Amino acid sequence: MSDQSGGLYGVVLAGGTGTRLWPLSRAGHPKFLHPLTGTDASLLQATVQRLDLLAPLDRIFVVTGVAHAAAVSRQLDAIPDTNVLVEPSPRDSCAAIALAAAVIARRDPQAIMGSFASDHLISDKERFTEVIRKAMVGAQQGLLMTLGITPTRPETGYGYLQCGGEIGDGPVLGVEEFKEKPSYDVAESYVKSGNYLWNAGMFVWRVDAFLSELSRQQPQLAAGVSRIAAAWDSPEREEVLGEVWPTLPRISVDYAVMEGAATVGRVGTVPGDFGWNDVGDFHTLGEVLAADPSGNVVVGHALEPEAKSGVLLRDTEGLVVVPTPGRLVAAMGVRDLIIVDTPDAVLVCPRERAQEVKHLVDELKELGEHDYV
Amino acid sequence: MSDQSGGLYGVVLAGGTGTRLWPLSRAGHPKFLHPLTGTDASLLQATVQRLDLLAPLDRIFVVTGVAHAAAVSRQLDAIPDTNVLVEPSPRDSCAAIALAAAVIARRDPQAIMGSFASDHLISDKERFTEVIRKAMVGAQQGLLMTLGITPTRPETGYGYLQCGGEIGDGPVLGVEEFKEKPSYDVAESYVKSGNYLWNAGMFVWRVDAFLSELSRQQPQLAAGVSRIAAAWDSPEREEVLGEVWPTLPRISVDYAVMEGAATVGRVGTVPGDFGWNDVGDFHTLGEVLAADPSGNVVVGHALEPEAKSGVLLRDTEGLVVVPTPGRLVAAMGVRDLIIVDTPDAVLVCPRERAQEVKHLVDELKELGEHDYV
């Protein structure tokens, strides 16, 4: 048992761009750094704040890439320097999570760790905290716990968890299979059946249980991460990271570990219902933030009054408007549009086409307009 | 007769803001300074270029206010310094035109002068030149000539000229009455009758004929302008201007001179049909500039390629887009919208509500947002 049993180590993955949130989210200033939370906190900061009833700040780790290490460190200025884990290059989620697990295991071999995306919104923090505590009970028993969201619609943009009956000693359901993003009809049948949850990509486990499954299923990755962890507190850390990291396979933790663990009965879930939203696009963002009486959502408005970030709406309905400091967005006589203004680009499109914004990013890349991507 | 008979003195009035073209047109950078012409010329520059078959550059005068004297002088860098007439304060069109007439009369007492707005577009320069030459024939006979545009729709935004039969020795129609902006029904009856032309606010006359009518109808204004003109080439110019100009009545030339001259049979017109457009709002601008195959008009696009002024349109129709250098406008899945981007503000509204843009400017003024006005 851990010397601090009952506590959680929180791992926040600060990676990914979020091209459907272009032009706000850019390769150089990705989604998680932006205040899309309805407060002045960035998604990254809100993710850490959400863990405050579960983990003290010295147990919060963040894994990020070289491009955003500085911005991430500054936004999370209350966590220790040593808890900022910088990947030399992107190697997908399994390597990132395994690195954090191995580093935490050096401090506390049976620590319970929770892994969280840095770019989701959760509206009910108390309920979230309760669900994590329940998941920790399953984790304590050696299960790899994944958080499942009770689906509210036949969403085709998420993966699903196929659940079985209760397992272990708590309110934990066994996860029989991980399902990839389904077609609409399949998603509808999932939702009707009541046996499927959205896979929200949040995990809770004992680090030893995870590292053991990693060794079983991904021995090369486990060995590499183990070498890196052994050198972590030595003068050789950078040398070893530089040598080993590029050799690690690029693979998501779902494919690499969770699917295989589910088939041998080692994955559990606690159905969650805490206002989860992946903030995948501006339409979704508009559904989760507070709207004015006409249904217009102004993201981050009045956060920086001194910066003169202004919005003037006249006879508009259902807009999602993202203004930028020092500039004015004026709209009149339009409805259900997304208007996103940034220091060097502005986007206008209907909310119903929010998912297609990523195609604009593809088009800009093809045109060689890398400054805007 | 003038020693240069047959030639024209061109007077360009560079005043007014154009609030329906907000946020492009501002108090500090009004409509006429912008390249809304489909080329890289501003409306002001295009107005002067359009006169090149009629008047040499040393016979082109521009009347402007103190706020824009520098910008106007720089845009029109080929006209002599002495031809830039700077009004100490706005006194409406009669004072501006009278000043130009009086200054020109000092050089050439029987000069024929044409007065033109600086913020209109004319697509057929050759036809325009022909019409002005016909008007000059009427002017030579002492008539105050006003250019009338053959109406193409029952427009309620313009004044009308009620025409009578031919007068004088040329293809000149007498103007019986100036009509204010009519209701839709009245405008419809005007267009059907065939006796009405749009009052385009362009005038051609002998300066002595105009100054004589001015003396008859506006003796105070005529005396004031005469005092100023007498001091024009003396060291006292600024003193006299500063003393007399503020005492001149604020009145338009239509009210002050043309209406009264029409009732005594001294106004003539030549119906014109040269692609006149007053560029009153962004919808109108979109109708007069070249569109892409989907009907999208991008104003000034590709004029400043090195400035990276970009537009990315995907599945759009009938847009009027005004980009700004160094920024990108991206639109997807929208139609018949106006999107105007500027360094500090962006506007989105339907083309059919283009006229109401001025209300946004009013609202900004009420809010004290003077930086954006």
Side-chain angles (χ1 to χ4, degrees), chain B residues 50-136:
Chain B
R50 189 183 303 132
L51 297 172
D52 64 357
L53 302 175
L54 294 161
L57 285 167
D58 69 330
R59 287 188 178 191
I60 302 287
F61 289 76
V62 59
V63 187
T64 191
V66 291
H68 307 302
V72 165
S73 304
R74 288 168 182 161
Q75 283 206 358
L76 303 182
D77 56 359
I79 74 170
D81 291 354
T82 48
N83 289 18
V84 179
L85 312 184
V86 184
E87 305 171 291
S89 58
R91 278 292 173 278
D92 213 327
S93 62
C94 191
I97 287 174
L99 175 65
V103 169
I104 291 168
R106 283 172 56 83
R107 198 197 291 186
D108 185 350
Q110 289 196 308
I112 294 178
M113 141 184 172
S115 170
F116 306 96
S118 58
D119 55 2
H120 295 173
L121 272 179
I122 286 172
S123 58
D124 188 343
K125 178 175 142 184
E126 293 192 8
R127 183 84 187 100
F128 168 78
T129 303
E130 277 173 40
V131 170
I132 297 295
R133 289 214 169 105
K134 286 181 188 165
M136 288 168 70

Side-chain angles (χ1 to χ4, degrees), chain A residues 314-315 327 342 353 363, chain B residues 314-315 327 342 353 363:
Chain A
R314 188 184 173 98
D315 193 13
R327 290 177 44 85
T342 70
R353 299 188 69 169
E363 202 166 331
Chain B
R314 188 185 174 97
D315 195 14
R327 290 178 45 86
T342 71
R353 299 187 68 168
E363 203 165 331

Side-chain angles (χ1 to χ4, degrees), chain A residues 22 308 312 314-315 327-333 341-350 353 356 359 363 371-372, chain B residues 22 308 312 314-315 327-333 341-350 353 356 363 371-372:
Chain A
W22 183 89
K308 215 179 53 126
L312 181 64
R314 188 184 173 98
D315 193 13
R327 290 177 44 85
L328 175 71
V329 175
M332 176 176 64
D341 195 25
T342 70
D344 67 350
V346 60
L347 167 71
V348 180
C349 82
R353 299 188 69 169
E356 297 172 53
H359 299 317
E363 202 166 331
D371 289 354
Y372 290 125
Chain B
W22 182 90
K308 216 177 55 124
L312 181 63
R314 188 185 174 97
D315 195 14
R327 290 178 45 86
L328 175 71
V329 174
M332 176 175 65
D341 195 26
T342 71
D344 67 350
V346 59
L347 166 71
V348 180
C349 83
R353 299 187 68 168
E356 296 172 52
E363 203 165 331
D371 289 353
Y372 290 124

Side-chain angles (χ1 to χ4, degrees), chain B residues 136-354:
Chain B
M136 288 168 70
V137 174
Q140 198 58 56
Q141 298 164 41
L143 290 169
L144 305 190
M145 299 296 296
T146 178
L147 263 58
I149 309 294
T150 308
T152 54
R153 58 181 188 276
E155 173 65 51
T156 59
Y158 305 148
Y160 283 71
L161 309 172
Q162 183 187 347
C163 302
E166 291 201 1
I167 56 172
D169 314 323
V172 172
L173 299 177
V175 173
E176 294 179 346
E177 207 169 332
F178 281 68
K179 298 288 192 182
E180 303 227 22
K181 294 176 185 177
S183 68
Y184 188 87
D185 290 347
V186 171
E188 216 166 20
S189 72
Y190 286 175
V191 175
K192 273 189 191 148
S193 80
N195 292 330
Y196 289 80
L197 300 173
W198 288 338
N199 177 7
M202 291 183 272
F203 306 106
V204 179
W205 50 52
R206 279 206 334 256
V207 290
D208 58 347
F210 172 76
L211 292 169
S212 154
E213 267 302 301
L214 186 73
S215 292
R216 183 176 76 83
Q217 295 189 59
Q218 304 286 337
Q220 189 208 340
L221 214 162
V225 165
S226 173
R227 270 192 68 197
I228 292 167
W232 197 256
D233 292 318
S234 81
E236 282 75 46
R237 185 208 293 191
E238 288 190 335
E239 283 298 330
V240 174
L241 251 182
E243 184 194 326
V244 176
W245 191 264
T247 70
L248 301 181
R250 282 178 188 255
I251 188 167
S252 78
V253 73
D254 291 63
Y255 287 116
V257 175
M258 299 307 288
E259 293 185 0
T263 59
V264 295
R266 291 181 189 155
V267 177
T269 186
V270 181
D273 185 9
F274 36 68
W276 175 78
N277 188 297
D278 76 341
V279 196
D281 57 64
F282 288 112
H283 170 64
T284 309
L285 182 63
E287 290 200 317
V288 72
L289 297 184
D292 73 14
S294 300
N296 301 301
V297 172
V298 177
V299 179
H301 191 33
L303 293 182
E304 310 188 61
E306 79 288 353
K308 216 177 55 124
S309 169
V311 172
L312 181 63
L313 304 181
R314 188 185 174 97
D315 195 14
T316 65
E317 274 176 55
L319 303 188
V320 178
V321 179
V322 185
T324 196
R327 290 178 45 86
L328 175 71
V329 174
M332 176 175 65
V334 289
R335 56 186 300 166
D336 299 327
L337 288 185
I338 291 161
I339 304 177
V340 181
D341 195 26
T342 71
D344 67 350
V346 59
L347 166 71
V348 180
C349 83
R351 286 181 68 161
E352 65 186 17
R353 299 187 68 168

